[in-house]
Amino acid sequence: MDWSILSWLLSFFILIALIGIIIFQLMCLADLEFDYINPYDSARRINSVVLPEFGTLGALCFLFLISGHWFMFILCLPYLYYNARMYMRRQHLVDVTEIFNMLNWEKKQRLVKLVYLIVLVFFTIFWMIWSVLDEDT
Amino acid sequence: MASERPGPSTYPGRPAISPFTAAPQTTMPFLSSGLVVGSEGSGYRANTPAGFNGPSMSSPPSAYASPNLGTYQRFPGPASTQLISSANGPPTGQPVLLPPVLPSTGQHVLAPPGSFHPQPQIPSVPMGQPPQSLNLQPPRGSFPSSPLESSFIAPRPASQSSLHGYPTRQANLVSQVPPVQSPPFLAHQGGYVSPPPLAAPVGLSSREQMQHTGGGPPVGGIQNLVEEFQSLSVGSAPGSIDPGLDFKALPRPLDGDVAPSSLANMYPLNCHLRYLRLTTSAIPNSQSLLSRWHFPLGVVIHPLAKAPDGEEVPIVNFGPTGIIRCRRCRTYVNPYVTFTDGGRKWRCNICSLLNDVPGEYFAHLDATGRRIDIDQRPELTKGSVEFVAPTEYMVRPPMPPLYFFLIDVSISAVRSGMLEIVAKTIKSSLDELPGFPRTQIGFLTFDSMLHFYNLKSSLSQPQMMVVSDLDDIFVPLPDDLLVNLSESRNVVDVFLDSLPSMFQENLNVESAFGPALKAAFMVMSQLGGKLLIFQSTLPSLGIGRLKLRGDDPRAYGTDKEYAIRIPEDPLYKQMAADFSKFQIGVNVYAFSDNYTDIASLGTLAKYTGGQVYYYPGFQSSIHGEKLKYELTRDLTRETAWEAVMRIRCGKGVRFTTYHGHFMLRSTDLLALPAVDCDKAFAMQLSLEDTLLTTQTLYFQVALLYTSSSGERRIRVHTAAAPVVTDLGEMYRQADTGAIISLFSRLAIEKTLSYKLEDARNFIQQRIVKALREYRNLYAVQHRLGGRMIYPESLQFLLLYGLALYKSVPLRGGYADAQLDERCAAGYTMMTLPVAALLKLLYPRLIRIDEYLQNASMKIDDFGKFSKSLPLAMQSLDSRGLYIYDDGFRFILWFGKMLSSDIAVNLLGMDLSTFPDPSKVSLSERDNEMSKKLIGILKRFRESNPYYYQLPQLLRQGEQPREAFLLFANLLEDQSCGTSGYVDWMLQLHRQIQQSA
């Protein structure tokens, strides 16, 4: 087993985890919108996974960096930068008092992230297959 | 479409039976022309304006009485021979309005010689009202109301809609539009109306064509097309050099807030306007129409507004039947539901579901389909009722009224005298606290430590417990910190008596506000209630400590500017959310003259339905009365506990944004831990469906709360509004007060995430867009050239817009208002009811010296005698004494040449010799004049009971106080870089024209 394939595989799973986190947040927001849970619980649940999300993404970038996948690393950078900026501005957490006013924005932001991650997943799969084939030949 | 236009929109009587037989016919032709016609709606609106009751008192007669008038010369100039051959008879209701009113100023050219002469009959024109001086609010329905001197003409073409003078427009209307009406106002405007070049002939022909080809019976006949807009000629008069407006002629809301009554007339079953006001009483039927209405579409709700005696909201108890509600949409039964099937079913007016009538509630219907017991059912006859809620509406037993006081006892609080006044006021209010004998009360004081008080009824003296560990806060006693007031009354009295002296010698300057807040939360979280915070320094210890981030002049104008207006520490938002969750409402009283970060402290009030009181530089000798009154009012006013509010509305429409002090618990549920009769809320509507198919839209506000007496109640306000297809109608039915209220809230919210300038521009842009749209509706038809036009309903909007522009939360930049003051004013304006807000924006300025000197005038005459003056420097006369009243304070301005006996009588000394008028206090003296003045102040206070108006004395020429206190508030004047009223109008007008 090649190091390269292993790294692709690892990053694939990390990506899936990220997607899972984002979908979880989206579900919380949707539940809130349809009044299944109250804003306090919704905000608490979302906020509890925001930092793990950021950390996981950081780990992914780091993985790309040390495994030398420059292209993927650069692809991840905007997302990382965005997260870092939100964190610096202390806007990364959902504000329970304004959650309803921000609902659309929060959802949109997470949907964009989701699409972004899915694109990354496709790239990763592509590279993974590529490196498998590469190894065979 | 015709049928969509609800009859009611036109006539007071709800049923769509129009007084005019011909009306239906008229509508039809317009239909296909759709919005092009812009003013089609006006056709029906004949008598919305108060003036018109009869079908057509005013204008038509002129036309009809003289069917053969032949022609009128309307435009000076060669091309203006618009002749209307009335071969067809009446239809050409050509309202030649003006003749009788011809102003004597030579500028209004009427029918220049050489063209057609008005026929003798013309004078029969009924609406000839004597020219009214410069009163800008032309009595509705009167004609050319005020031919003001030259520049200001309010040509309310009240009588006739006009579309047809204009060839271009007509072309497509020709066959459809029988009632030929002409733009009425032109004649007297001579110079301002650009003469229609070439237009006339075409117009003529098309008009004839219309009459001949259109063929249909002339329906315009009885119809009294009223079109209401006012216009202001803004300088572009040909040949006129003076770009100015007539200052005196500009519209001013000198009568204060006047709620539009048309909706109430149309739907007499609606709740009173004091509870619910729509920004326009005509709901657009489509999104495209809504997008052309550039004002916010929404409501301002004041659910617990104080009703005058005799109009109290009736209380209904359904007993074991349970409250009658719609199965599907949960609407409460209201006057607009209809009973069918012999009274066994009722149809919900909001979702039109057919519901069963419970057996106990059944009553037979009479021949007209009304329930026979309707007279005994207030919920079916009144727009506002209060239901007694059974246990299903309770999550827990109704809570007792609970007051918890969190009092700063650091050195500044003691020195300023705040502590003493607070203690005394609380003590004096104890008897009037609502909810006796269940009321609970508790106290916590803090400086660098927290002091808890055991007020157990068995004690003779309160016990004080000091907690100095701020990192790990705990409550030293599980109970007895909150006690039942009636049981522990003696201990509480002793405590309040000794409180000021206890801390007399306190030299502590620190403030452990955050920990104290946490502790208060722990004490209160069992029951909820009202938390009153008295804070006189910046929180400096423990969690929630705030920095002197202060007012940085460099921050203004940059993108970071907003950051100083939002809470610095996320703890405050978090605490506010927790308070709201546990039904705790917070009122903040802040006293420091230094920076106390109201932006952060106020957040606590913002999300808990509370209120911020700010007394900069508090000194008990000066501000004591104010604090006393406001605290007493806060403690004793009608309060609704653990409340939630929801507003429902018909299908296809949804409330999307909410503005005010509350927290949203779900998308449309406002959580209000403690709400009282001084709070108003605003919300905006959006259309979900592209097209509304109903003719009437219903709104229902329901406030579920626990009354102070411990009863769970639901206060329900129901209102209906017509759905219209016409933009002009929306503008006509607009409610300036509600629009301004929403605007102010939107703009203040904007300052929390953008620059002040952006917030101001936002208002200006919206006004400009709206008026541009309105202009596009009418300008072409009326050839308004360089005139500024606006609907009569919005005549004061521009001025209020300017007032908002200059209001404390939005004005200027760093130097124009202190940051704390700005934030406090912002919080206050977010809760103010409409009338109080308008008063704050455009205060009253009244001259009173004559009244005081004239011994024969009694206080009762004062209302008749006194007149509000425009808020401009030129209203001030140095021989006079003026009161400026904005609902929050009185400023008494003593002119330099004011006869000295007034000052001596009022103050006991001659003001001109006294060095510092700010130190002079006003109290009743034993003479007629002083008594009269106090009487006036009392009367003014009654009209605005929310706050105490502290009189401040000001002598003319006393700088800088004068400039700061009064001149900065004379908003019609130019002051430090902001435009005056005239400039503002010109500026708006230019912008409106830019792409009009």
Side-chain angles (χ1 to χ4, degrees):
Chain A
M1 196 79 157
D2 187 9
W3 163 242
S4 159
I5 297 175
L6 200 69
S7 72
W8 283 122
L9 212 59
L10 195 59
S11 51
F12 176 78
F13 285 118
I14 294 179
L15 273 171
I16 295 297
L18 265 178
I19 288 178
I21 292 175
I22 298 287
I23 288 180
F24 173 75
Q25 296 182 8
L26 278 170
M27 274 166 51
C28 287
L29 290 173
D31 280 354
L32 180 69
E33 196 175 0
F34 293 107
D35 212 2
Y36 293 132
I37 52 176
N38 65 45
Y40 302 99
D41 290 342
S42 179
R44 194 171 40 77
R45 287 185 201 176
I46 293 174
N47 289 342
S48 66
V49 296
V50 165
L51 281 184
E53 177 206 330
F54 287 14
T56 321
L57 182 75
L60 181 71
C61 284
F62 186 68
L63 183 67
F64 282 141
L65 189 65
I66 57 164
S67 58
H69 301 130
W70 295 107
F71 178 70
M72 289 300 286
F73 175 68
I74 288 168
L75 215 54
C76 277
L77 269 186
Y79 189 172
L80 191 69
Y81 169 73
Y82 178 77
N83 279 357
R85 208 180 64 138
M86 293 298 269
Y87 185 77
M88 303 292 266
R89 292 183 171 193
R90 304 249 143 234
Q91 289 171 349
H92 59 293
L93 293 181
V94 172
D95 178 358
V96 63
T97 51
E98 295 290 340
I99 192 165
F100 284 103
N101 297 333
M102 302 295 288
L103 198 59
N104 281 332
W105 159 246
E106 299 281 355
K107 266 167 61 178
K108 199 193 287 172
Q109 174 196 340
R110 286 176 172 77
L111 278 173
V112 170
K113 281 185 181 176
L114 189 64
V115 171
Y116 197 95
L117 287 172
I118 289 173
V119 171
L120 284 183
V121 167
F122 278 116
F123 272 107
T124 312
I125 294 174
F126 172 77
W127 285 114
M128 190 158 48
I129 296 171
W130 181 274
S131 56
V132 170
L133 296 178
D134 211 26
E135 196 174 319
D136 292 345
T137 53
Chain B
M1 273 161 80
S3 57
E4 268 170 26
R5 175 186 309 284
S9 74
T10 9
Y11 308 118
R14 267 180 76 209
I17 309 160
S18 87
F20 315 139
T21 45
Q25 282 170 307
T26 8
T27 56
M28 295 312 292
F30 278 100
L31 295 179
S32 42
S33 62
L35 293 173
V36 184
V37 193
S39 58
E40 72 196 43
S42 59
Y44 319 21
R45 306 218 49 267
N47 43 10
T48 337
F52 289 111
N53 298 322
S56 54
M57 287 318 292
S58 11
S59 67
S62 73
Y64 296 111
S66 51
N68 329 338
L69 287 182
T71 58
Y72 296 104
Q73 160 66 33
R74 289 181 305 139
F75 304 105
S80 54
T81 47
Q82 292 225 343
L83 68 103
I84 307 231
S85 101
S86 33
N88 260 8
T92 51
Q94 179 120 343
V96 176
L97 319 165
L98 305 162
V101 212
L102 253 199
S104 47
T105 60
Q107 299 140 322
H108 307 296
V109 186
L110 170 80
S115 48
F116 303 91
H117 302 286
Q119 307 231 329
Q121 289 102 315
I122 296 176
S124 73
V125 173
M127 55 292 208
Q129 296 208 342
Q132 311 194 336
S133 50
L134 30 94
N135 159 10
L136 270 191
Q137 309 123 322
R140 306 175 125 225
S142 71
F143 272 87
S145 54
S146 33
L148 302 165
E149 325 163 38
S150 74
S151 61
F152 193 86
I153 308 185
R156 322 208 20 236
S159 57
Q160 313 271 346
S161 104
S162 51
L163 344 171
H164 313 292
Y166 306 100
T168 46
R169 290 268 155 176
Q170 281 166 340
N172 49 4
L173 299 176
V174 163
S175 56
Q176 310 158 344
V177 189
V180 178
Q181 324 267 348
S182 66
F185 49 92
L186 302 170
H188 76 225
Q189 299 166 353
Y192 302 91
V193 180
S194 42
L198 297 182
V202 187
L204 173 58
S205 64
S206 63
R207 183 171 286 135
E208 281 176 338
Q209 194 186 359
M210 189 179 344
Q211 291 174 2
H212 300 298
T213 58
V219 250
I222 334 158
Q223 190 179 13
N224 185 0
L225 291 179
V226 177
E227 179 160 39
E228 290 170 6
F229 63 76
Q230 302 205 323
S231 74
L232 205 53
S233 79
V234 187
S236 48
S240 136
I241 311 162
D242 173 25
L245 291 162
D246 182 0
F247 180 74
K248 289 192 186 124
L250 294 168
R252 292 188 178 85
L254 298 179
D255 296 332
D257 173 38
V258 181
S261 57
S262 62
L263 188 66
N265 295 337
M266 224 181 282
Y267 294 99
L269 298 178
N270 271 7
C271 62
H272 194 276
L273 282 173
R274 78 175 78 90
Y275 302 117
L276 187 150
R277 276 171 79 164
L278 285 156
T279 55
T280 172
S281 316
I283 308 294
N285 78 327
S286 66
Q287 277 172 356
S288 59
L289 193 55
L290 177 57
S291 66
R292 292 171 63 201
W293 157 264
H294 294 275
F295 293 122
L297 177 66
V299 293
V300 179
I301 292 171
H302 190 184
L304 294 170
K306 201 120 202 104
D309 290 339
E311 290 181 43
E312 285 89 0
V313 177
I315 296 174
V316 176
N317 194 343
F318 281 117
T321 321
I323 296 174
I324 316 285
R325 299 177 72 176
C326 173
R327 260 183 297 136
R328 182 164 64 193
C329 65
R330 311 300 293 148
T331 298
Y332 297 87
V333 67
N334 63 67
Y336 293 105
V337 304
T338 43
F339 287 86
T340 54
D341 198 10
R344 281 187 292 278
K345 305 241 182 205
W346 63 275
R347 189 177 292 282
C348 169
N349 55 326
I350 288 192
C351 70
S352 50
L353 181 79
L354 213 50
N355 292 279
D356 292 331
V357 175
E360 299 90 330
Y361 195 65
F362 175 81
H364 289 286
L365 303 185
D366 67 9
T368 56
R370 282 160 34 111
R371 283 169 63 109
I372 47 173
D373 65 344
I374 194 156
D375 296 332
Q376 285 103 53
R377 298 280 183 195
E379 73 274 15
L380 297 178
T381 51
K382 293 258 166 47
S384 301
V385 283
E386 202 155 285
F387 296 119
V388 176
T391 44
E392 301 96 80
Y393 293 83
M394 301 173 198
V395 196
R396 56 173 186 176
M399 60 177 273
L402 188 155
Y403 294 89
F404 195 79
F405 299 87
L406 190 60
I407 306 172
D408 181 356
V409 292
S410 64
I411 183 165
S412 60
V414 178
R415 288 264 167 91
S416 67
M418 176 275 270
L419 187 62
E420 191 180 348
I421 303 261
V422 167
K424 278 189 177 152
T425 310
I426 296 173
K427 182 157 185 262
S428 64
S429 313
L430 286 180
D431 283 327
E432 293 160 58
L433 286 187
F436 177 86
R438 301 164 67 237
T439 315
Q440 301 226 17
I441 198 165
F443 298 88
L444 196 163
T445 58
F446 64 97
D447 41 28
S448 62
M449 289 171 283
L450 313 184
H451 321 117
F452 294 84
Y453 299 92
N454 181 352
L455 301 172
K456 199 172 174 171
S457 55
S458 54
L459 297 171
S460 62
Q461 286 269 359
Q463 253 174 13
M464 177 161 140
M465 284 154 288
V466 179
V467 173
S468 55
D469 181 4
L470 301 179
D471 297 325
D472 182 22
I473 307 141
F474 64 96
V475 176
L477 266 183
D479 33 44
D480 295 331
L481 294 176
L482 268 178
V483 293
N484 183 303
L485 177 61
S486 50
E487 286 168 14
S488 300
R489 180 61 192 268
N490 291 333
V491 193
V492 172
D493 277 345
V494 173
F495 167 72
L496 287 172
D497 283 336
S498 56
L499 180 62
S501 54
M502 247 191 287
F503 295 98
Q504 199 65 60
E505 306 302 317
N506 195 355
L507 294 177
N508 203 323
V509 293
E510 301 288 350
S511 163
F513 178 71
L517 204 59
K518 278 260 187 236
F521 174 70
M522 289 181 201
V523 175
M524 296 179 76
S525 55
Q526 284 297 317
L527 282 171
K530 201 156 170 170
L531 174 64
L532 293 98
I533 296 172
F534 300 87
Q535 175 70 13
S536 71
T537 46
L538 191 68
S540 59
L541 286 180
I543 50 165
R545 84 180 73 90
L546 297 168
K547 289 196 295 279
L548 258 179
R549 54 178 174 163
D551 213 359
D552 182 3
R554 280 164 305 173
Y556 284 85
T558 68
D559 288 339
K560 293 236 165 64
E561 185 194 314
Y562 73 92
I564 54 175
R565 290 187 289 269
I566 57 173
E568 184 191 3
D569 190 331
L571 173 93
Y572 287 92
K573 272 196 163 182
Q574 191 55 50
M575 283 303 289
D578 289 341
F579 279 133
S580 178
K581 189 175 181 181
F582 289 93
Q583 307 292 357
I584 302 167
V586 181
N587 280 2
V588 178
Y589 292 76
F591 299 91
S592 172
D593 48 349
N594 297 323
Y595 179 69
T596 15
D597 206 343
I598 301 288
S600 297
L601 298 182
T603 312
L604 296 168
K606 180 176 178 184
Y607 294 106
T608 58
Q611 193 171 346
V612 176
Y613 296 88
Y614 181 48
Y615 308 86
F618 182 84
Q619 281 180 316
S620 59
S621 56
I622 300 174
H623 305 99
E625 275 300 301
K626 186 170 168 68
L627 172 61
K628 202 170 153 197
Y629 175 90
E630 287 169 6
L631 179 55
T632 308
R633 181 170 176 88
D634 187 9
L635 293 176
T636 56
R637 64 188 163 191
E638 184 182 340
T639 302
W641 306 88
E642 45 180 359
V644 289
M645 184 164 84
R646 175 171 269 145
I647 176 162
R648 296 183 169 82
C649 56
K651 250 192 298 189
V653 181
R654 201 161 64 92
F655 281 95
T656 42
T657 60
Y658 299 82
H659 313 274
H661 283 188
F662 53 80
M663 191 166 142
L664 277 174
R665 185 155 319 152
S666 76
T667 41
D668 61 344
L669 189 70
L670 277 58
L672 303 163
V675 58
D676 50 65
C677 50
D678 298 345
K679 305 281 185 331
F681 307 89
M683 37 209 83
Q684 286 192 88
L685 275 173
S686 68
L687 266 62
E688 282 192 315
D689 301 352
T690 41
L691 205 63
L692 285 185
T693 48
T694 47
Q695 295 180 15
T696 311
L697 195 62
Y698 298 95
F699 299 94
Q700 188 172 65
V701 186
L703 178 80
L704 171 64
Y705 70 95
T706 300
S707 70
S708 295
S709 57
E711 204 170 28
R712 202 75 174 140
R713 291 205 187 144
I714 308 165
R715 181 171 284 213
V716 177
H717 301 297
T718 312
V723 177
V724 301
T725 54
D726 165 34
L727 189 61
E729 180 73 17
M730 288 181 70
Y731 280 107
R732 256 188 307 279
Q733 298 289 335
D735 177 350
T736 302
I739 292 175
I740 286 295
S741 182
L742 253 167
F743 260 155
S744 67
R745 287 163 194 243
L746 290 173
I748 290 167
E749 279 176 7
K750 232 180 165 66
T751 62
L752 304 182
S753 40
Y754 298 93
K755 286 182 279 190
L756 291 174
E757 200 185 333
D758 294 338
R760 291 193 296 259
N761 285 343
F762 160 78
I763 299 173
Q764 193 172 354
Q765 284 316 312
R766 294 283 288 264
I767 294 178
V768 166
K769 274 188 194 157
L771 290 187
R772 187 183 292 156
E773 195 74 49
Y774 188 73
R775 185 184 175 78
N776 289 344
L777 274 183
Y778 293 107
V780 183
Q781 304 150 11
H782 293 316
R783 284 202 196 79
L784 285 165
R787 303 173 59 82
M788 182 160 183
I789 68 170
Y790 46 85
E792 200 215 343
S793 57
L794 297 177
Q795 57 178 337
F796 304 133
L797 185 93
L798 298 131
L799 181 54
Y800 281 127
L802 175 66
L804 210 48
Y805 205 88
K806 293 187 174 187
S807 63
V808 179
L810 302 178
R811 71 161 65 136
Y814 169 73
D816 295 290
Q818 282 192 342
L819 180 58
D820 271 350
E821 232 163 291
R822 207 185 272 280
C823 292
Y827 284 124
T828 303
M829 284 169 69
M830 288 297 280
T831 57
L832 277 187
V834 175
L837 177 72
L838 294 188
K839 175 89 167 287
L840 173 64
L841 289 178
Y842 196 86
R844 248 193 309 206
L845 181 67
I846 294 181
R847 181 170 180 169
I848 55 169
D849 53 308
E850 288 166 29
Y851 164 74
L852 292 180
Q853 278 174 319
N854 189 336
S856 63
M857 281 194 233
K858 296 276 164 281
I859 182 76
D860 294 327
D861 302 331
F862 184 68
K864 284 174 260 165
F865 169 77
S866 68
K867 215 171 74 204
S868 293
L869 299 166
L871 282 176
M873 202 85 91
Q874 65 193 66
S875 301
L876 298 174
D877 177 355
S878 61
R879 279 162 305 187
L881 168 60
Y882 295 82
I883 295 188
Y884 167 93
D885 164 26
D886 64 4
F888 287 77
R889 60 188 169 172
F890 295 137
I891 295 173
L892 274 87
W893 188 84
F894 290 77
K896 260 195 182 124
M897 326 251 289
L898 179 68
S899 68
S900 60
D901 67 311
I902 295 190
V904 172
N905 275 334
L906 295 181
L907 309 169
M909 68 185 104
D910 192 352
L911 197 62
S912 58
T913 59
F914 196 75
D916 186 3
S918 65
K919 296 254 162 55
V920 182
S921 68
L922 194 66
S923 56
E924 185 160 347
R925 276 163 211 286
D926 192 22
N927 62 58
E928 190 60 24
M929 231 180 250
S930 177
K931 282 189 180 131
K932 268 177 152 178
L933 177 68
I934 300 295
I936 297 174
L937 298 187
K938 190 160 162 254
R939 176 161 288 212
F940 281 9
R941 284 193 181 116
E942 280 164 9
S943 72
N944 202 339
Y946 311 112
Y947 293 90
Y948 183 82
Q949 295 86 14
L950 201 65
Q952 287 170 299
L953 308 187
L954 195 59
R955 189 176 58 208
Q956 182 178 14
E958 184 201 351
Q959 299 295 351
R961 271 181 85 229
E962 186 178 37
F964 164 73
L965 275 178
L966 186 59
F967 293 169
N969 295 315
L970 294 179
L971 55 95
E972 293 186 23
D973 284 333
Q974 248 167 335
S975 60
C976 26
T978 58
S979 46
Y981 194 9
V982 171
D983 301 326
W984 168 257
M985 293 299 255
L986 290 173
Q987 197 183 337
L988 286 184
H989 182 61
R990 257 196 311 277
Q991 294 184 0
I992 290 169
Q993 291 231 301
Q994 263 165 15
S995 54

